């Protein structure tokens, strides 16, 4: 049910889980009633809060993530009004961009921190979000957009009063990755810096969605989203170099040549991107029926996109895991 909530002093956050699950600091001892209470209530216990000018975020003990973008919260359109469906979709799409980028930073810091377990996120979808209302820092209501995530469903089944937890369930949950509080706090600080650059957020969101497509074996879709990032950053770097002196609209091939000539990108960067442009991008665009895009092409495109982003001094260092599997 999609309810329109009245502005009654309650601050609404979007909530979301990673389907693989992770614990913050330590897993819950389900044999301990005090510990199990941390999973009861409207939401599990939030153990990390981060308040900034443009957003507020929290992470619960069982890995549930919460995000409230200040300006977006002020402009939420009526979701049940069919005349504003486009505005509603756009509003949600922007929220998903920020949520996915927040996840990217948490994943990156979990990989870089030697004391923390490593996690690899999938992109957030609207259907897998919930909406949580807080008053005075206390959760007072929650509704699900559509689906309840697997992680949330497991959590609910394990904390019911009188429920007996099977040993195999405890073993499964105890194997979930444990991520340090300090790791998540560092990630949220980096996210705070990133939100000052809406263009960077959009580009990183494309990378997050490309990563999920890659995990789901959609290598063409993954490459296409990564190419959007490569081309947009390359054009921006070229325009900054040209500073309005050249009025012609160059091709991507010409842009790459100019960037290498002026040492804005290295010869190795030029060679890698130009190979992808000629061998993969052009074939995908002009001969999509016969085009072949392999996992290695996506991985090279992701590496090229991140290298180009690092040409901008405002881009933080991000390390990600690109995983996929094949079985028959």
């Amino acid at each position: 049910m999609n309810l329109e909530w009245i502005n009654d002093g309650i601050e609404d956050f979007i909530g979301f889980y990673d389907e693989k699950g992770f614990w913050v600091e330590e897993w819950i001892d389900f044999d301990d009633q005090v510990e199990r209470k941390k999973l009861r209530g409207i939401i599990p216990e939030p153990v990390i809060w981060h308040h900034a000018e443009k957003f507020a975020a929290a992470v619960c003990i069982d890995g549930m993530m919460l995000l409230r973008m200040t300006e977006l919260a002020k402009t939420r359109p009526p979701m049940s009004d069919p005349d504003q469906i486009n505005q509603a979709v756009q509003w949600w799409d922007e929220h998903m961009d920020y949520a996915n980028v927040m996840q990217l930073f948490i994943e990156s810091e979990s990989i870089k921190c030697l004391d923390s377990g490593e996690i690899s996120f999938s992109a957030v979808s609207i259907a897998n979000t919930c909406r949580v209302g807080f008053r005075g820092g206390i959760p007072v209501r929650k509704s699900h957009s559509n689906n309840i995530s697997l992680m949330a469903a497991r959590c609910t089944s394990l904390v019911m009063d009188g429920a007996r937890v099977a040993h195999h369930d405890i073993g499964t949950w105890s194997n979930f990755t444990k991520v340090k509080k300090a790791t998540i706090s560092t990630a949220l600080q980096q996210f705070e810096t990133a939100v000052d650059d809406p263009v960077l957020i959009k580009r990183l969101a494309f990378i997050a969605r490309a990563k999920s497509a890659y995990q789901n074996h959609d290598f063409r879709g993954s490459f296409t989203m990564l190419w959007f990032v490569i081309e947009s950053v390359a054009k921006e770097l070229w325009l900054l170099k040209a500073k309005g002196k050249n009025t012609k609209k160059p091709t991507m091939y010409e842009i790459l040549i100019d960037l290498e000539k002026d040492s804005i990108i290295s010869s190795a960067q030029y060679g890698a991107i130009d190979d992808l442009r000629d061998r993969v991008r052009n074939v995908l665009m002009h001969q999509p029926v016969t085009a072949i895009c392999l996992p290695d092409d996506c991985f090279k495109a992701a590496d090229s996109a991140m290298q180009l982003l690092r040409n901008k001094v405002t881009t933080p260092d991000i390390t990600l895991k690109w995983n996929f599997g094949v079985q028959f």
Side-chain angles (χ1 to χ4, degrees):
M1 181 180 295
N2 189 0
L3 299 177
E4 297 299 336
W5 289 344
I6 300 172
N7 184 5
D8 49 8
I10 297 177
E11 293 186 334
D12 292 326
F13 287 66
I14 61 167
F16 47 97
Y17 281 94
D18 172 57
E19 287 301 328
K20 293 181 180 178
F22 69 93
W23 293 110
V24 178
E25 207 69 37
E26 287 291 340
W27 57 67
I28 290 291
D29 180 0
F30 290 105
D31 290 329
D32 187 324
Q33 287 296 321
V34 175
E35 287 281 285
R36 288 178 67 180
K37 283 182 180 179
K38 295 178 180 179
L39 297 175
R40 293 194 177 104
I42 292 176
I43 60 170
E45 180 182 305
V47 289
I48 296 172
W49 277 98
H50 188 98
H51 294 278
E53 180 184 352
K54 295 184 178 180
F55 75 95
V59 181
C60 298
I61 194 167
D62 68 333
M64 181 184 191
M65 291 162 277
L66 298 158
L67 177 64
R68 173 183 171 87
M69 300 305 302
T70 305
E71 291 303 315
L72 282 175
K74 295 176 183 176
T75 60
R76 185 175 73 211
M79 299 294 170
S80 59
D81 185 351
D83 294 329
Q84 296 197 50
I85 187 65
N86 289 333
Q87 293 90 326
V89 168
Q90 183 179 354
W91 185 89
W92 265 113
D93 193 55
E94 287 189 56
H95 252 110
M96 294 301 96
D97 284 346
Y98 285 107
N100 282 318
V101 174
M102 187 175 96
Q103 285 195 147
L104 279 190
F105 282 110
I106 295 175
E107 175 179 330
S108 177
E109 286 305 307
S110 78
I111 295 169
K112 290 190 287 184
C113 179
L114 298 179
D115 294 331
S116 180
E118 295 184 4
I119 46 182
S120 180
F121 286 126
S122 296
V124 185
S125 67
I126 296 173
N128 290 321
T129 63
C130 64
R131 189 165 50 170
V132 182
F134 285 81
R135 181 188 284 128
I138 299 174
V140 294
R141 65 189 181 192
K142 179 174 74 169
S143 74
H144 287 273
S145 297
N146 194 344
N147 303 322
I148 299 179
S149 75
L150 177 60
M151 184 74 172
R154 284 176 175 170
C155 186
T156 301
S157 68
L158 289 174
V159 298
M160 291 174 61
D161 288 337
R164 300 182 64 182
V165 184
H167 287 292
H168 72 271
D169 286 332
I170 295 173
T172 300
W173 276 70
S174 66
N175 289 330
F176 286 170
T177 301
K178 296 184 292 183
V179 181
K180 293 290 186 180
K181 284 185 182 180
T183 297
I184 298 174
S185 294
T186 300
L188 293 176
Q189 289 168 14
Q190 292 189 336
F191 178 62
E192 181 178 349
T193 300
V195 297
D196 287 330
D197 187 346
V199 175
L200 174 62
I201 291 292
K202 184 63 69 175
R203 287 167 175 164
L204 291 177
F206 268 118
I207 291 174
R209 287 172 172 164
K211 184 170 163 291
S212 280
Y214 181 90
Q215 291 171 338
N216 292 324
H217 302 87
D218 180 10
F219 302 122
R220 295 185 187 191
S222 178
F223 183 90
T224 300
M225 285 184 278
L226 290 167
W227 189 259
F228 288 157
V229 178
I230 290 171
E231 192 161 314
S232 68
V233 178
K235 286 181 177 178
E236 181 181 353
L237 292 171
W238 184 88
L239 287 170
L240 289 171
K241 177 187 77 73
K243 294 181 180 177
K245 296 177 183 177
N246 196 329
T247 56
K248 77 167 187 173
K249 187 176 181 180
T251 64
M252 186 63 178
Y253 174 69
E254 292 170 331
I255 286 173
L256 292 174
I257 290 177
D258 277 359
L259 292 178
E260 185 204 12
K261 183 176 67 177
D262 290 349
S263 300
I264 296 174
I265 63 173
S266 67
S267 297
Q269 281 180 286
Y270 165 80
I273 298 172
D274 193 54
D275 171 64
L276 293 171
R277 177 195 64 82
D278 181 57
R279 184 175 53 81
V280 185
R281 183 271 178 195
N282 287 350
V283 180
L284 276 174
M285 295 301 108
H286 303 298
Q287 302 173 52
V289 175
T290 58
I292 296 175
C293 184
L294 300 174
D296 193 50
D297 297 324
C298 296
F299 189 80
K300 289 177 180 176
D303 185 56
S304 294
M306 293 306 301
Q307 286 190 42
L308 281 174
L309 280 172
R310 291 189 188 104
N311 278 277
K312 295 171 62 65
V313 295
T314 57
T315 302
D317 182 37
I318 297 176
T319 302
L320 301 175
K321 297 176 79 171
W322 290 75
N323 300 322
F324 76 98
V326 176
Q327 64 180 7
F328 182 75

